[in-house]
Amino acid sequence: MFKRRKVEKDVDQESPHSFNIESFHKELLSLVSNSEDLVFRTITVNEQNLAIAYFEDMVNPSSMQDSIVRPLEECTGEIDYIVIKNTINIAKLTTTDSITDVVNNLVNGTAYIFKEDDTHGILADVADKGTRALEKAETESLVFGPKISFTESITKNLNLIRSNINDPKLCVETFMIGSRTKKKVQMIYIKDIAEEENVNTFRQRITEIEVDSIVDSTVLAQMIEDNSFTIFPQFITTELPDRCTISLLHGKIALLVDRSPTAIIGPSTFMNFFESTEDIYMRWNMGTFLRLVRFVAIFFSILLTPAYVAVLTYHYEVIPSALLVSLGQSRSNVPFPPVFEALLLEFIIELLREAGARLPTKVGQTMGIVGGIVIGQASVQAGFTSNILIIIIAISALGSFTAPSYAMGTAVRILRFPIIIMAGLYGGIGIMFCFCFLLIHLLKITTLGRPYLSPLYPFRFSDLKYSIFRLPYQYLDKRPVSNHPIDQGRIPEKKARTKKDVDE
């Protein structure tokens, strides 16, 4: 588990700076390592000297000129920090006299304005955010439902969530993490739904992180997860605002990280990684069918290739006689044992997948299709592998791609390799050993202190309609018990069961 220590308060946080312009300029330059992009501007208004400090490439020039410089130059009478605050046309203003506060805000696109020999200065947020516009989700593609995705702006991401949940009970807590590069992290939950223990656990883990910088939300998820050594992801990371909204309404908690286009959702169980928002937008019977297809596909993806290796190595008697002849003919020219043959093809599939992901989009798609066909056909003709194994490997690869979560799909693909090796060494016994070990491991994993295999363990029959199945909406009158929501009701029970007739 990631080591967490309580972050001590900076001893210089409350130390005031010199309000002599020349002295403050020298002090500020020393703290920012004489950075050449620091602009320190002095203007004189009614024989009173004002200083403005900011980083040139971090601020919006038009906002600086129109909202700060021009109003100050037109100011009349005696000026102090209160007059400056009332004169500047910026929504987000903060009063401070701490040099540490000034430096920490300047690097985030804030300008600092003060009058010489005054007692305080003003921090004005004029940052040039430079974020991209709202676009269609790429890693989580959908047929039905909203297509919009999160961006790198935490403000836009929070606006997307608030526009979906216009509930005054929606709470947002802000944290600053990082000793060198401070990143804003926001914890979002609905106060009268999310369990207080889950909120406190999230809050404690975030505040106890001591690190120089957090690059992305996926890095933060690894720092606060329960078990850092398991291959299975313990928090869902999503770029879909609607998935985040649905999770919040079910009693979960979301984390947003500034400059990251994905949100963290927890607690997240094993079953949650096979759920898609499309299941909710489609009719209940279609959604249930697709979920069952995913579970069957993942089961085949993990066990189909190891079963092939075990049967050909130790258990020929289980193969039907009609199939045995064609299987023997297919493998007659293959010089390698089944375990090496399977590992070689699995490795080639991973090479194709990784190459296709790293190349540009159009080139990557061509590489995956052409490479798979050419290498597969050439491998059979050269006698490196059999036709039947290529079919099995293709089915296994397709099964792993059905998982809506990229992290879970990758975990499934990695799991195949040790199971194939055990199948080659011990046959069916090796597969059962791996399966039992995997089941025990999943039973031991927790997510935010909650069982990872819920609602299967501990078994909660009422939550199966939210995980394995998807029932009609009139039967979804309660929130999932596994999330321990405070307000459990979604639809009044009598109202949900009432039939609607045309003549009523």
Side-chain angles (χ1 to χ4, degrees), residues 48-215:
Q48 303 169 85
N49 294 327
L50 303 178
I52 305 175
Y54 57 92
F55 281 104
E56 184 177 10
D57 297 327
M58 294 295 294
V59 301
N60 188 311
S62 60
S63 296
M64 277 293 305
Q65 183 64 31
D66 299 336
S67 302
I68 295 179
V69 177
R70 186 174 299 158
L72 288 176
E73 289 177 341
E74 296 174 355
C75 192
T76 59
E78 185 69 21
I79 297 177
D80 58 12
Y81 71 93
I82 298 177
V83 174
I84 295 175
K85 191 173 183 179
N86 294 331
T87 302
I88 294 175
N89 298 323
I90 299 293
K92 189 175 180 181
L93 298 174
T94 308
T95 304
T96 185
D97 65 345
S98 169
I99 186 66
T100 307
D101 275 348
V102 173
V103 174
N104 289 340
N105 282 276
L106 286 181
V107 296
N108 288 320
T110 301
Y112 184 62
I113 310 103
F114 72 94
K115 176 196 169 186
E116 189 168 30
D117 300 328
D118 205 348
T119 58
H120 290 79
I122 303 298
L123 289 166
D125 186 4
V126 287
D128 186 3
K129 303 297 183 181
T131 58
R132 60 185 172 94
L134 298 177
E135 297 175 354
K136 182 179 179 179
E138 293 186 3
T139 59
E140 296 177 79
S141 58
L142 299 174
V143 178
F144 298 101
K147 306 298 189 298
I148 198 170
S149 68
F150 286 127
T151 70
E152 286 75 15
S153 171
I154 194 171
T155 305
K156 284 186 178 180
N157 295 343
L158 182 58
N159 289 342
L160 287 173
I161 295 176
R162 282 202 176 275
S163 63
N164 290 334
I165 307 178
N166 53 357
D167 186 349
K169 295 292 185 179
L170 184 69
C171 294
V172 179
E173 297 184 19
T174 303
F175 308 89
M176 299 300 294
I177 302 178
S179 57
R180 287 190 176 273
T181 303
K182 293 189 178 297
K183 273 290 182 69
K184 180 188 291 186
V185 177
Q186 291 182 331
M187 180 172 67
I188 308 169
Y189 59 95
I190 302 178
K191 191 172 183 61
D192 58 348
I193 296 180
E195 188 192 23
E196 190 65 27
E197 183 178 346
N198 291 337
V199 174
N200 292 335
T201 304
F202 252 134
R203 185 185 296 119
Q204 178 185 0
R205 293 186 183 183
I206 293 172
T207 54
E208 290 181 353
I209 290 177
E210 187 177 60
V211 68
D212 58 347
S213 175
I214 292 179
V215 181

